[in-house]
Every structure is written in structure tokens, then in C-alpha cells.
């Protein structure tokens, strides 16, 4: 059994403009990930299975996966090699002690940073309240765009998509515009489902696109909503089966 050690845990700290500010790794991880093929993994795909099957690719578990996975502890720590995965990372955005973005390599030593993670359905009442508050605030910001025409929303998107790279604020705004555009073109029943006050995963799909824009990564997902928004944002998306076909051609 590996005893978790903070000194052996590989991590990197960036400011919100993605300038490297510290960590316990070698060099600039984000630069290495951008120089190779890196995918953010949606919750409908298994990052560990992908990391094993495609060692030539990098896989990142982003905020969407961390917020929506029922068993995040299992996603991160079940059945992993003694030294972890060289091509699998977790990214987080933290407000304390100063707003920053962290990248952590997935290994048993990551446990030195995290306590045991409870299942999503058994999290604390405060955590549930925070999720409800975040979803409501995001819904209010998206609501403000519905008075705009689809053409206007697309024009606003076009103006910020490229500058989203390394820009946390613009990438978050792109997420709002993308969801508004998606709702506008959806059937009434689908739009009503997305905008239900009790739908707490409202931010998930558009924020996955926002992370891809912020970091300059691609996405692996089997979700049709994510595929639509990725195409509109110019973000490359592949399903696990499409990754397999691509690997066979190499």
C-alpha cells in the first residue's frame, strides 16, 4: 500500500491568466499539455480507462467532472497504479488563499491533499446549498441573453472565442452565451428541462466548453448537448470510439 506523501505529489499552481506561480513538478505542465494532445473528460467517459488505453494522449478531469460525478473518490483513487498515471490530471479553480488554478497528477499521493470524498448524494447540506446557489446565479446570467437574437449571440461569441485562451472571465462568459444559444435552438421541452429551477447541473456542459477554451484542450464526450456547443465554439470533440479509430490509424 502506498502511503500518501505531499512531497511526492506532483502539482502546478497558475494564476487566473494561467501564468505558472508554483508547484511541486518539473517545468510548466500546461505548456507540455498544450504541446501534445490533451482531452478534458466528460462525466460520461472513464478517464482511467482512457489513460490506460491511450498512453500517447493526456486526459484532464475538469470542474464539470468533479462537480457532477457521484463517486468522485472512486473516479480518482480506485484501481490506480502504485505511481499513478503519467497522463491523467485533475484541474481545480480555487478562491483561497488567492484565486488560482491548480493541476494535480492523479496518483495515490494526491490523497495527501484530499480527505475522503463523500458520494455526491451524501454531501453536506452546505455543499448542496452551494450547488443550488451556483446554478441559480448561472441561470440568472443566461436569462439576460434571451432578449437577444441568435445572430447577436453568435456575434458576441465570435468576438470572445479566441481571446478565451488564458482568460478565465471571458471563458465563463462564453459558457453563458453558448447555453443561451443552445436553449434558443432547442425544442420547447428540452429548453424547459434545462431551465428547471431544480436542475443543478445546468452549468456542467457549457462550463466544460469554457474550460476547453480557457486551457486550449479538446474534449472527449458522448453527450449530444456538449457536441453541439463544442461545434459552435470551435472546440474539437471526440467520443471514446472516435479516439480508438484515430489510434488505429496511427
Amino acid at each position: 500500500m502506498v502511503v500518501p506523501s505531499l512531497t511526492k505529489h506532483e502539482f502546478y499552481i497558475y494564476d487566473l491568466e494561467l501564468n505558472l506561480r508554483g508547484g511541486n513538478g518539473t517545468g510548466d505542465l500546461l505548456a507540455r499539455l498544450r504541446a501534445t494532445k490533451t482531452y478534458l473528460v466528460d462525466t460520461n467517459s472513464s478517464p482511467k480507462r482512457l489513460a490506460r488505453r491511450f498512453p500517447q494522449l493526456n486526459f484532464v478531469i475538469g470542474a464539470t467532472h468533479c462537480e457532477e460525478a457521484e463517486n468522485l473518490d472512486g473516479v480518482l483513487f480506485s484501481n490506480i497504479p502504485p505511481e499513478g498515471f503519467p497522463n491523467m490530471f485533475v484541474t481545480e479553480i480555487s478562491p483561497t488563499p488567492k484565486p488560482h488554478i491548480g493541476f494535480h497528477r492523479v496518483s495515490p499521493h494526491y490523497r495527501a491533499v484530499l480527505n475522503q470524498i463523500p458520494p455526491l448524494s451524501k454531501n453536506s447540506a452546505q455543499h448542496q446549498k452551494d450547488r443550488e446557489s451556483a446554478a441559480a446565479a448561472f441561470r440568472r446570467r443566461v436569462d439576460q441573453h434571451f432578449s437577444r437574437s441568435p445572430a447577436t449571440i453568435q456575434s458576441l461569441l465570435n468576438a470572445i472565442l479566441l481571446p478565451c485562451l488564458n482568460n478565465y472571465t471571458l471563458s465563463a462568459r462564453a459558457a453563458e452565451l453558448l447555453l443561451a444559444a443552445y436553449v434558443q435552438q432547442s425544442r420547447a421541452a428540452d429548453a424547459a428541462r434545462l431551465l428547471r429551477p431544480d436542475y443543478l447541473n445546468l452549468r456542467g456542459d457549457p462550463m466544460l466548453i469554457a474550460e476547453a477554451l480557457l486551457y486550449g484542450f479538446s474534449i472527449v464526450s458522448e453527450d449530444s448537448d456538449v457536441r453541439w456547443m463544442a461545434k459552435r465554439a470551435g472546440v474539437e470533440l471526440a467520443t471514446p470510439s472516435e479516439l480508438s479509430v484515430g489510434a488505429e490509424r496511427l
Side-chain angles (χ1 to χ4, degrees):
M1 178 180 177
V2 177
V3 178
S5 167
L6 188 58
T7 60
K8 295 181 180 180
H9 170 54
E10 182 183 344
F11 67 96
Y12 305 79
I13 302 298
Y14 296 84
D15 61 25
L16 295 187
E17 287 74 46
L18 294 177
N19 299 298
L20 182 64
R21 296 305 187 194
N24 195 28
T26 302
D28 186 339
L29 173 68
L30 187 55
R32 295 204 306 272
L33 294 179
R34 286 174 169 174
T36 55
K37 198 64 180 179
T38 300
Y39 290 87
L40 283 158
V41 183
D42 200 358
T43 49
N44 50 44
S45 301
S46 169
K48 289 199 291 282
R49 187 178 299 121
L50 292 169
R52 287 191 178 95
R53 188 169 184 181
F54 304 106
Q56 75 277 26
L57 305 177
N58 298 303
F59 299 95
V60 176
I61 299 172
T64 296
H65 207 131
C66 291
E67 290 178 8
E68 294 184 359
E70 169 63 19
N71 181 18
L72 182 59
D73 197 87
V75 169
L76 295 177
F77 297 115
S78 68
N79 192 28
I80 63 174
E83 293 304 317
F85 292 94
N87 62 333
M88 181 174 161
F89 302 86
V90 177
T91 182
E92 61 173 358
I93 299 173
S94 177
T96 58
K98 184 178 181 180
H100 67 275
I101 294 172
F103 279 82
H104 302 264
R105 187 169 72 84
V106 176
S107 79
H109 299 296
Y110 188 24
R111 180 70 82 183
V113 178
L114 300 175
N115 296 317
Q116 198 79 16
I117 308 170
L120 183 63
S121 58
K122 296 182 180 180
N123 236 311
S124 68
Q126 183 59 51
H127 182 266
Q128 180 70 4
K129 185 179 292 186
D130 290 343
R131 291 184 70 216
E132 293 171 356
S133 176
F138 187 74
R139 188 177 292 106
R140 286 193 298 271
R141 292 195 297 273
V142 172
D143 284 346
Q144 297 174 1
H145 298 302
F146 289 139
S147 60
R148 297 186 164 113
S149 69
T152 299
I153 288 178
Q154 186 59 49
S155 178
L156 291 169
L157 263 175
N158 291 342
I160 66 171
L161 284 175
L162 287 179
C164 279
L165 188 69
N166 299 338
N167 192 313
Y168 174 77
T169 300
L170 284 184
S171 61
R173 180 168 172 77
E176 300 164 12
L177 290 165
L178 283 165
L179 184 60
Y182 185 65
V183 169
Q184 283 184 335
Q185 64 82 49
S186 297
R187 296 179 305 169
D190 292 333
R193 170 182 60 85
L194 289 168
L195 297 178
R196 282 198 331 259
D198 62 340
Y199 183 54
L200 300 187
N201 289 339
L202 177 71
R203 299 166 61 246
D205 291 347
M207 289 306 293
L208 180 62
I209 308 297
E211 288 183 286
L213 292 168
L214 174 65
Y215 301 130
F217 298 161
S218 301
I219 293 173
V220 57
S221 175
E222 297 184 280
D223 189 301
S224 59
D225 297 355
V226 173
R227 181 175 287 275
W228 188 95
M229 285 185 269
K231 184 176 181 180
R232 180 62 64 93
V235 171
E236 180 184 339
L237 181 145
T239 65
S241 60
E242 288 168 341
L243 286 182
S244 299
V245 170
E248 291 171 358
R249 291 174 178 169
L250 294 178

